[in-house]
Amino acid sequence: MNTPLSALSPTGTPLYQQVKQALLSALAAGEWKQGEAIPPEKPLAERFGVSIGTLRKAIDDLTAENILVRHQGRGTFVAKHEHNQHFFRFFRIVRQDGEKSYPTTELLRFRRISAGEEAREKLLLAPGSKVFEITNRLSLHGSPVLIDTLTLPEALFSGMTEKLVRERPSTLYRFYQDSFGINVIGTAENARATLADEDHADLLGVPAGTALLELRRVAYSYNQQPVEWRISRVNTEQYEYMGQEHNRS
Amino acid sequence: MNTPLSALSPTGTPLYQQVKQALLSALAAGEWKQGEAIPPEKPLAERFGVSIGTLRKAIDDLTAENILVRHQGRGTFVAKHEHNQHFFRFFRIVRQDGEKSYPTTELLRFRRISAGEEAREKLLLAPGSKVFEITNRLSLHGSPVLIDTLTLPEALFSGMTEKLVRERPSTLYRFYQDSFGINVIGTAENARATLADEDHADLLGVPAGTALLELRRVAYSYNQQPVEWRISRVNTEQYEYMGQEHNRS
DNA sequence: TTACATTTGTTCGTATGTATA
DNA sequence: TTATACATACGAACAAATGTA
């Protein structure tokens, strides 16, 4: 039996937040692993010396933060951050009728170069820093729809090779996580319209001068660390970029 | 005294969600205006015939959605969506160096027409419904940058005239609020790339065939009620669309 | 299929603490 | 100081979902 929390931290912070911290500590200590169930509410409440309601409020917070997942009748589980769904959270190109599908990727080019000025600015790199530049073609429903040009700091992705990229068994962001320990947790994205140059027109199978949507994205890891700078050029004849909905109720 | 909710809707959806909907209905009916306090928890709980805890859970949801704001010791207030900051929350065009500025607007056209198919779909209107169609030109730093085509259901904006639009002293969304009691609390936005037609080229002062960013937006009020359907065509030679940042922590 | 035990979900009412006017 | 209002905490009861015997 553990010491009641309130005895350790008499006042100041609410009890349910102390419980939340205690749960986070237990998680960090590896007491329960990803995908595993944590103990039922009643035993946990007893362990921490609080009422069920207080324990539930702590768990409410943790589920809101996607750290725990509750399933009525089954239990409360440690969230897994490895679902494909999660990795596709940042892919926002859909058909104009709204139908979503998963893209297939072709690696077109892999280079190790000195970072250009814009890449250095976006990735907070010093002049002369080396980066990997990767060009991919993504297709939806069998037709090429967008060309991605990725820039990755060599410092963060040391050991990266074309072979690794080509043979990765999963999505790119999953690959970052599994092979380099880099978790993409957010992106900042801007959009412009451009005309397709010869190269892009060829790659997308459209005439030069076609209007393309140009998305410029920085992907961030913890602590706002930029880890990827990406320019996507999208043929929006049949597809469109689905913006995040703002504050709907 | 109102009828208890549970009597109207015996089972199925949880009580606290019924309370939440009832609160949203009261808000939509204008029972409390933005910035005003709603009644204290206890009277509200009695009015809906539920316990304080259930009422609080409903309000928890609404505060999480930024529809209500709680202040300990003062009360619970209808969130204000009337700060300039907020109104410009939905204006996301910035100069490519990142500098933001406020646009100036010119009214180019005002019409009352039958809603087209796409507008009907987006605004959930019956065939034959009348709408107001308003075309604006927005300029930044003195140069025209985008053409907005707005479609508004006549049913929601009855009494709308060109004169009112032209002489409104405030932003458009503020105008909706003050003159028609319509609160825009969210938007869903998609993006495509198009080529400028003759009209848009003239209005924006660019050659026909220039690539334009086309933003298609539905604005929502409470209960996902669509209130405005808008197509913006943006000259992104010097400006760009600043997407919402996704989930950074 | 049925019955049952387990676990989370919802709702209740009460008491006490804390912030505000 | 006092009254009001939201915040926290408690525990009990029943509902709903799940898995298993």
Side-chain angles (χ1 to χ4, degrees), chain B residues 14-16 49-52 54 57 72-74:
Chain B
L15 194 47
Y16 75 92
V50 301
S51 74
I52 290 249
T54 301
K57 194 159 180 181
Q72 186 174 354
R74 291 206 288 139

Side-chain angles (χ1 to χ4, degrees), chain B residues 98-114:
Chain B
E99 188 185 293
K100 298 180 191 181
S101 67
Y102 287 169
T104 57
T105 305
E106 289 166 86
L107 176 59
L108 300 181
R109 192 170 66 176
F110 180 97
R111 297 194 297 171
R112 178 176 172 279
I113 57 174
S114 290

Side-chain angles (χ1 to χ4, degrees), chain B residues 156-220:
Chain B
L156 295 175
F157 290 88
S158 64
M160 171 79 84
T161 65
E162 176 167 356
K163 186 164 184 291
L164 279 175
V165 177
R166 193 181 294 284
E167 295 176 357
R168 73 192 139 84
S170 55
T171 66
L172 206 51
Y173 284 179
R174 174 87 184 250
F175 170 61
Y176 295 171
Q177 192 176 95
D178 293 348
S179 300
F180 303 96
I182 289 172
N183 303 291
V184 171
I185 62 170
T187 61
E189 202 159 43
N190 289 9
R192 304 176 185 177
T194 58
L195 298 176
D197 60 23
E198 289 286 349
D199 286 348
H200 281 80
D202 277 357
L203 294 171
L204 290 170
V206 297
T210 300
L212 298 181
L213 177 64
E214 182 177 288
L215 301 169
R216 310 165 78 82
R217 175 201 289 182
V218 181
Y220 295 95

Side-chain angles (χ1 to χ4, degrees), chain B residues 65-198:
Chain B
E65 292 166 21
N66 293 315
I67 292 170
L68 297 177
V69 179
R70 290 208 265 221
H71 295 286
Q72 186 174 354
R74 291 206 288 139
T76 302
F77 298 79
V78 184
K80 291 176 110 172
H81 290 205
E82 65 193 40
H83 307 313
N84 264 0
Q85 228 181 357
H86 180 84
F87 277 97
F88 281 103
R89 200 159 51 100
F90 301 120
F91 185 76
R92 308 183 71 80
I93 303 298
V94 299
R95 214 162 61 184
Q96 291 187 357
D97 62 14
E99 188 185 293
K100 298 180 191 181
S101 67
Y102 287 169
T104 57
T105 305
E106 289 166 86
L107 176 59
L108 300 181
R109 192 170 66 176
F110 180 97
R111 297 194 297 171
R112 178 176 172 279
I113 57 174
S114 290
E117 188 183 346
E118 190 169 15
R120 285 207 312 275
E121 181 199 328
K122 302 295 184 184
L123 296 171
L124 305 178
L125 297 176
S129 299
K130 298 295 182 187
V131 294
F132 297 108
E133 188 190 81
I134 299 171
T135 305
N136 285 317
R137 174 165 58 186
L138 275 67
S139 297
L140 287 162
H141 304 101
S143 304
V145 175
L146 76 86
I147 307 296
D148 258 348
T149 302
L150 306 158
T151 304
L152 307 171
E154 184 183 43
L156 295 175
F157 290 88
S158 64
M160 171 79 84
T161 65
E162 176 167 356
K163 186 164 184 291
L164 279 175
V165 177
R166 193 181 294 284
E167 295 176 357
R168 73 192 139 84
S170 55
T171 66
L172 206 51
Y173 284 179
R174 174 87 184 250
F175 170 61
Y176 295 171
Q177 192 176 95
D178 293 348
S179 300
F180 303 96
I182 289 172
N183 303 291
V184 171
I185 62 170
T187 61
E189 202 159 43
N190 289 9
R192 304 176 185 177
T194 58
L195 298 176
D197 60 23
E198 289 286 349

Side-chain angles (χ1 to χ4, degrees), chain A residues 37-139:
Chain A
I38 68 173
E41 295 176 344
K42 198 148 168 225
L44 273 183
E46 283 166 7
R47 162 170 165 178
F48 294 127
V50 300
S51 73
I52 289 255
T54 301
L55 177 89
R56 279 185 62 82
K57 191 155 184 182
I59 294 183
D60 281 348
D61 272 21
L62 294 171
T63 55
E65 292 168 24
N66 292 316
I67 293 170
L68 297 177
V69 179
R70 291 208 263 221
H71 294 286
Q72 186 174 357
R74 291 206 286 139
T76 302
F77 299 79
V78 184
K80 297 169 103 169
H81 281 243
E82 57 195 50
H83 301 316
N84 266 359
Q85 231 181 352
H86 176 82
F87 288 92
F88 279 102
R89 200 158 47 104
F90 301 120
F91 184 76
R92 307 183 71 80
I93 303 297
V94 300
R95 214 162 61 184
Q96 291 186 357
D97 62 14
E99 188 185 294
K100 298 179 190 181
S101 67
Y102 287 171
T104 57
T105 306
E106 289 166 86
L107 176 60
L108 300 180
R109 191 169 68 176
F110 179 98
R111 297 195 296 173
R112 177 176 171 279
I113 58 174
S114 290
E117 188 184 345
E118 190 169 14
R120 286 207 313 277
E121 181 201 327
K122 301 294 185 186
L123 295 171
L124 305 177
L125 297 176
S129 299
K130 298 295 182 187
V131 294
F132 298 108
E133 188 189 82
I134 300 170
T135 305
N136 285 318
R137 173 164 59 185
L138 275 66
S139 298

